[in-house]
Protein backbone atom coordinates (compact mmCIF):
# COMPACT_ATOMS: atom_id res chain seq x y z
CA UNK A 1 0.00 0.00 0.00
CA UNK A 2 2.93 2.35 -0.71
CA UNK A 3 0.81 4.07 -3.36
CA UNK A 4 -2.06 4.59 -0.91
CA UNK A 5 0.35 6.44 1.37
CA UNK A 6 1.37 8.71 -1.51
CA UNK A 7 -2.29 9.43 -2.32
CA UNK A 8 -2.97 10.20 1.35
CA UNK A 9 -0.10 12.70 1.31
CA UNK A 10 -1.57 14.35 -1.79
CA UNK A 11 -5.01 14.57 -0.17
CA UNK A 12 -3.55 16.26 2.91
CA UNK A 13 -1.49 18.66 0.80
CA UNK A 14 -4.05 19.62 -1.86
CA UNK A 15 -7.46 19.42 -0.21
CA UNK A 16 -9.08 21.18 2.71
CA UNK A 17 -8.91 19.46 6.12
CA UNK A 18 -12.71 18.94 6.00
CA UNK A 19 -12.50 17.21 2.63
CA UNK A 20 -9.57 15.06 3.76
CA UNK A 21 -11.48 14.05 6.87
CA UNK A 22 -14.47 13.07 4.74
CA UNK A 23 -12.31 11.06 2.30
CA UNK A 24 -10.60 9.09 5.07
CA UNK A 25 -13.99 8.45 6.68
CA UNK A 26 -15.31 7.12 3.34
CA UNK A 27 -12.32 4.77 3.18
CA UNK A 28 -13.03 3.55 6.71
CA UNK A 29 -16.73 3.10 5.99
CA UNK A 30 -16.09 1.25 2.71
CA UNK A 31 -13.77 -1.15 4.48
CA UNK A 32 -16.29 -1.71 7.27
CA UNK A 33 -18.91 -2.50 4.60
CA UNK A 34 -16.52 -5.00 2.99
CA UNK A 35 -16.43 -6.93 6.24
CA UNK A 36 -20.19 -6.63 6.81
CA UNK A 37 -20.91 -7.89 3.28
CA UNK A 38 -18.19 -10.55 3.31
CA UNK A 39 -16.35 -9.19 0.28
CA UNK A 40 -12.95 -8.46 1.76
CA UNK A 41 -11.39 -9.21 -1.64
CA UNK A 42 -12.45 -5.62 -2.46
CA UNK A 43 -10.67 -4.19 0.56
CA UNK A 44 -7.62 -2.72 -1.17
CA UNK A 45 -9.41 -1.62 -4.36
CA UNK A 46 -12.13 0.10 -2.32
CA UNK A 47 -9.46 1.88 -0.35
CA UNK A 48 -8.07 3.34 -3.60
CA UNK A 49 -11.57 4.17 -4.87
CA UNK A 50 -12.41 5.98 -1.62
CA UNK A 51 -9.11 7.88 -1.51
CA UNK A 52 -9.49 9.11 -5.09
CA UNK A 53 -13.26 9.66 -5.37
CA UNK A 54 -13.17 13.36 -4.42
CA UNK A 55 -9.61 14.15 -5.49
CA UNK A 56 -10.82 16.86 -7.92
CA UNK A 57 -13.87 18.03 -5.97
CA UNK A 58 -12.37 21.32 -4.85
CA UNK A 59 -11.45 22.40 -8.38
CA UNK A 60 -13.71 25.07 -9.85
CA UNK A 61 -15.66 24.68 -13.10
CA UNK A 62 -12.89 26.18 -15.23
CA UNK A 63 -10.33 23.80 -13.75
CA UNK A 64 -12.71 20.88 -14.28
CA UNK A 65 -12.95 21.80 -17.96
CA UNK A 66 -9.16 21.96 -18.18
CA UNK A 67 -8.95 18.43 -16.76
CA UNK A 68 -11.56 17.30 -19.29
CA UNK A 69 -9.43 18.72 -22.08
CA UNK A 70 -6.27 17.11 -20.68
CA UNK A 71 -7.88 13.65 -20.49
CA UNK A 72 -9.96 13.93 -23.69
CA UNK A 73 -13.24 13.79 -21.81
CA UNK A 74 -16.26 14.92 -23.81
CA UNK A 75 -18.93 16.06 -21.37
CA UNK A 76 -22.54 15.24 -22.20
CA UNK A 77 -25.35 17.79 -22.04
CA UNK A 78 -26.43 16.09 -18.82
CA UNK A 79 -22.99 16.48 -17.27
CA UNK A 80 -23.10 20.21 -17.99
CA UNK A 81 -26.62 20.48 -16.56
CA UNK A 82 -25.47 18.86 -13.31
CA UNK A 83 -22.03 20.47 -12.82
CA UNK A 84 -21.64 19.07 -9.29
CA UNK A 85 -21.27 15.63 -10.84
CA UNK A 86 -18.34 16.55 -13.11
CA UNK A 87 -15.76 16.04 -10.35
CA UNK A 88 -16.64 12.33 -10.37
CA UNK A 89 -15.74 12.11 -14.06
CA UNK A 90 -12.48 14.03 -13.71
CA UNK A 91 -11.52 12.10 -10.55
CA UNK A 92 -12.06 8.86 -12.46
CA UNK A 93 -9.75 10.14 -15.22
CA UNK A 94 -7.10 11.09 -12.63
CA UNK A 95 -7.38 7.60 -11.08
CA UNK A 96 -6.86 5.99 -14.49
CA UNK A 97 -4.27 8.29 -16.03
CA UNK A 98 -2.21 9.38 -13.04
CA UNK A 99 -2.36 6.20 -10.97
CA UNK A 100 -3.17 3.45 -13.50
CA UNK A 101 -6.17 2.31 -11.48
CA UNK A 102 -8.19 -0.58 -12.87
CA UNK A 103 -11.63 -0.24 -14.43
CA UNK A 104 -13.59 -1.46 -11.37
CA UNK A 105 -12.12 1.43 -9.34
CA UNK A 106 -12.49 4.09 -12.06
CA UNK A 107 -16.09 3.11 -12.73
CA UNK A 108 -17.07 3.30 -9.04
CA UNK A 109 -15.47 6.76 -8.84
CA UNK A 110 -17.24 7.90 -12.01
CA UNK A 111 -20.70 6.92 -10.72
CA UNK A 112 -20.27 7.72 -7.03
CA UNK A 113 -22.37 10.90 -7.24
CA UNK A 114 -25.14 10.05 -9.69
CA UNK A 115 -25.36 6.28 -9.41
CA UNK A 116 -26.36 4.36 -12.53
CA UNK A 117 -28.62 1.55 -13.66
CA UNK A 118 -27.48 -1.92 -12.49
CA UNK A 119 -24.75 -0.73 -10.15
CA UNK A 120 -22.22 -3.39 -9.19
CA UNK A 121 -21.66 -4.35 -5.55
CA UNK A 122 -18.35 -2.47 -5.64
CA UNK A 123 -20.06 0.66 -6.99
CA UNK A 124 -22.82 0.44 -4.38
CA UNK A 125 -20.30 0.20 -1.55
CA UNK A 126 -18.40 3.32 -2.59
CA UNK A 127 -21.65 5.16 -3.34
CA UNK A 128 -23.16 4.47 0.07
CA UNK A 129 -19.91 4.81 2.04
CA UNK A 130 -19.75 8.35 0.63
CA UNK A 131 -23.30 8.99 1.84
CA UNK A 132 -23.34 7.41 5.29
CA UNK A 133 -19.76 7.82 6.54
CA UNK A 134 -19.80 8.78 10.19
CA UNK A 135 -18.60 12.39 9.88
CA UNK A 136 -21.57 13.44 7.70
CA UNK A 137 -23.90 15.66 9.65
CA UNK A 138 -26.79 16.02 7.18
CA UNK A 139 -30.08 14.67 8.53
CA UNK A 140 -30.70 12.57 5.40
CA UNK A 141 -27.26 10.94 5.65
CA UNK A 142 -27.59 10.24 9.35
CA UNK A 143 -31.05 8.75 8.79
CA UNK A 144 -29.73 6.44 6.03
CA UNK A 145 -26.85 5.34 8.26
CA UNK A 146 -29.20 4.55 11.15
CA UNK A 147 -31.59 2.67 8.87
CA UNK A 148 -28.82 0.50 7.44
CA UNK A 149 -27.14 -0.33 10.73
CA UNK A 150 -30.41 -1.06 12.50
CA UNK A 151 -31.49 -3.33 9.61
CA UNK A 152 -28.32 -5.44 9.76
CA UNK A 153 -28.22 -5.61 13.55
CA UNK A 154 -28.35 -9.26 14.56
CA UNK A 155 -28.57 -10.36 10.90
CA UNK A 156 -25.74 -12.68 9.97
CA UNK A 157 -26.71 -14.06 6.57
CA UNK A 158 -25.07 -12.23 3.72
CA UNK A 159 -28.10 -12.32 1.43
CA UNK A 160 -30.17 -10.30 3.93
CA UNK A 161 -27.29 -7.89 4.41
CA UNK A 162 -27.09 -7.40 0.63
CA UNK A 163 -30.80 -6.55 0.61
CA UNK A 164 -30.17 -4.05 3.42
CA UNK A 165 -27.43 -2.50 1.27
CA UNK A 166 -29.79 -2.25 -1.71
CA UNK A 167 -32.43 -0.69 0.51
CA UNK A 168 -30.10 1.99 1.84
CA UNK A 169 -28.83 2.80 -1.67
CA UNK A 170 -32.47 3.09 -2.79
CA UNK A 171 -33.25 5.30 0.20
CA UNK A 172 -30.31 7.61 -0.48
CA UNK A 173 -31.18 7.92 -4.19
CA UNK A 174 -34.77 8.78 -3.26
CA UNK A 175 -33.59 11.39 -0.77
CA UNK A 176 -31.26 12.92 -3.36
CA UNK A 177 -34.03 13.05 -5.98
CA UNK A 178 -36.37 14.71 -3.45
CA UNK A 179 -33.71 17.25 -2.44
CA UNK A 180 -32.93 18.22 -6.04
CA UNK A 181 -36.61 18.33 -7.01
CA UNK A 182 -37.43 20.64 -4.10
CA UNK A 183 -34.68 22.98 -5.25
CA UNK A 184 -35.89 22.82 -8.88
CA UNK A 185 -32.51 21.47 -9.95
CA UNK A 186 -31.80 19.14 -12.86
CA UNK A 187 -31.67 15.46 -11.88
CA UNK A 188 -29.21 13.22 -13.73
CA UNK A 189 -30.91 10.30 -15.51
CA UNK A 190 -28.36 7.92 -13.93
CA UNK A 191 -29.90 8.70 -10.54
CA UNK A 192 -33.41 7.89 -11.77
CA UNK A 193 -32.19 4.74 -13.54
CA UNK A 194 -30.32 3.51 -10.47
CA UNK A 195 -33.34 4.20 -8.28
CA UNK A 196 -35.85 2.54 -10.60
CA UNK A 197 -33.72 -0.58 -11.12
CA UNK A 198 -33.30 -1.07 -7.37
CA UNK A 199 -36.98 -0.43 -6.79
CA UNK A 200 -37.90 -3.18 -9.25
CA UNK A 201 -35.43 -5.68 -7.84
CA UNK A 202 -36.26 -5.09 -4.16
CA UNK A 203 -40.02 -4.68 -4.55
CA UNK A 204 -41.03 -6.75 -7.62
CA UNK A 205 -44.60 -7.36 -6.37
CA UNK A 206 -45.29 -3.69 -5.75
CA UNK A 207 -44.14 -2.89 -9.25
CA UNK A 208 -45.81 -5.87 -10.91
CA UNK A 209 -42.44 -6.92 -12.23
CA UNK A 210 -41.60 -10.52 -13.11
CA UNK A 211 -37.90 -11.14 -12.87
CA UNK A 212 -36.62 -13.20 -15.80
CA UNK A 213 -34.26 -16.12 -15.13
FE1 LIG B 1 -17.33 12.19 -1.27
Amino acid sequence: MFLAGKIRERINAELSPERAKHIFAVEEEAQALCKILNCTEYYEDLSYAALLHDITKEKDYKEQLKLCEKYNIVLSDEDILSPKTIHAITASAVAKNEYGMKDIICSAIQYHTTGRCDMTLFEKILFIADYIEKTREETACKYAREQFYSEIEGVSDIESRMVALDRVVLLSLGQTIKYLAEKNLYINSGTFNARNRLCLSIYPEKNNYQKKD
Side-chain angles (χ1 to χ4, degrees):
M1 295 285 270
F2 173 73
L3 182 57
K6 288 267 171 211
I7 300 170
R8 279 192 192 92
E9 277 175 22
R10 176 174 173 179
I11 291 164
N12 285 321
E14 285 185 18
L15 300 174
S16 64
E18 297 74 31
R19 183 82 52 206
K21 192 173 149 199
H22 161 69
I23 288 172
F24 300 137
V26 174
E27 182 189 23
E28 196 183 310
E29 187 66 44
Q31 295 188 333
L33 290 169
C34 272
K35 287 180 192 153
I36 288 166
L37 299 164
N38 198 24
C39 55
T40 47
E41 69 274 18
Y42 288 157
Y43 209 79
E44 191 175 339
D45 286 345
L46 268 168
S47 175
Y48 285 128
L51 290 173
L52 290 166
H53 84 282
D54 274 349
I55 197 77
T56 60
K57 190 151 184 184
E58 293 184 348
K59 295 196 182 299
D60 64 24
Y61 189 65
K62 221 171 155 183
E63 289 172 309
Q64 296 291 352
L65 294 184
K66 268 190 199 163
L67 280 173
C68 290
E69 205 180 317
K70 182 176 178 186
Y71 295 122
N72 296 315
I73 298 164
V74 179
L75 293 173
S76 68
D77 291 346
E78 270 210 313
D79 297 331
I80 292 160
L81 284 167
S82 36
K84 284 192 174 175
T85 67
I86 297 175
H87 79 278
I89 300 168
T90 53
S92 173
V94 167
K96 188 180 175 67
N97 293 285
E98 294 186 29
Y99 296 102
M101 292 292 158
K102 46 183 146 174
D103 289 349
I104 188 176
I105 296 171
C106 298
S107 160
I109 294 172
Q110 183 169 346
Y111 297 107
H112 85 266
T113 307
T114 58
R116 67 161 166 172
C117 194
D118 288 324
M119 290 167 81
T120 63
L121 173 59
F122 191 95
E123 287 169 0
K124 286 176 198 169
I125 293 175
L126 180 66
F127 180 89
I128 209 61
D130 188 30
Y131 197 80
I132 66 169
E133 59 87 352
K134 65 185 177 194
T135 73
R136 290 199 73 152
E137 295 288 342
E138 299 92 327
T139 309
C141 300
K142 281 182 172 175
Y143 177 69
R145 181 178 178 84
E146 282 163 18
Q147 288 292 305
F148 175 71
Y149 280 100
S150 67
E151 193 170 335
I152 61 157
E153 206 180 337
V155 174
S156 55
D157 77 286
I158 298 303
E159 210 174 308
S160 300
R161 289 181 174 193
M162 290 291 184
V163 174
L165 173 73
D166 278 352
R167 275 199 236 272
V168 72
V169 175
L170 177 65
L171 172 68
S172 71
L173 289 162
Q175 289 182 154
T176 299
I177 289 168
K178 191 166 175 250
Y179 171 84
L180 294 169
E182 280 171 355
K183 291 197 171 303
N184 296 316
L185 289 169
Y186 182 85
I187 302 170
N188 189 287
S189 60
T191 307
F192 280 122
N193 292 337
R195 184 262 171 201
N196 283 338
R197 169 59 70 208
L198 281 169
C199 203
L200 293 178
S201 67
I202 304 169
Y203 304 108
E205 300 84 6
K206 275 190 185 181
N207 291 285
N208 195 22
Y209 175 74
Q210 296 290 315
K211 210 174 178 185
K212 289 178 185 159
D213 293 328

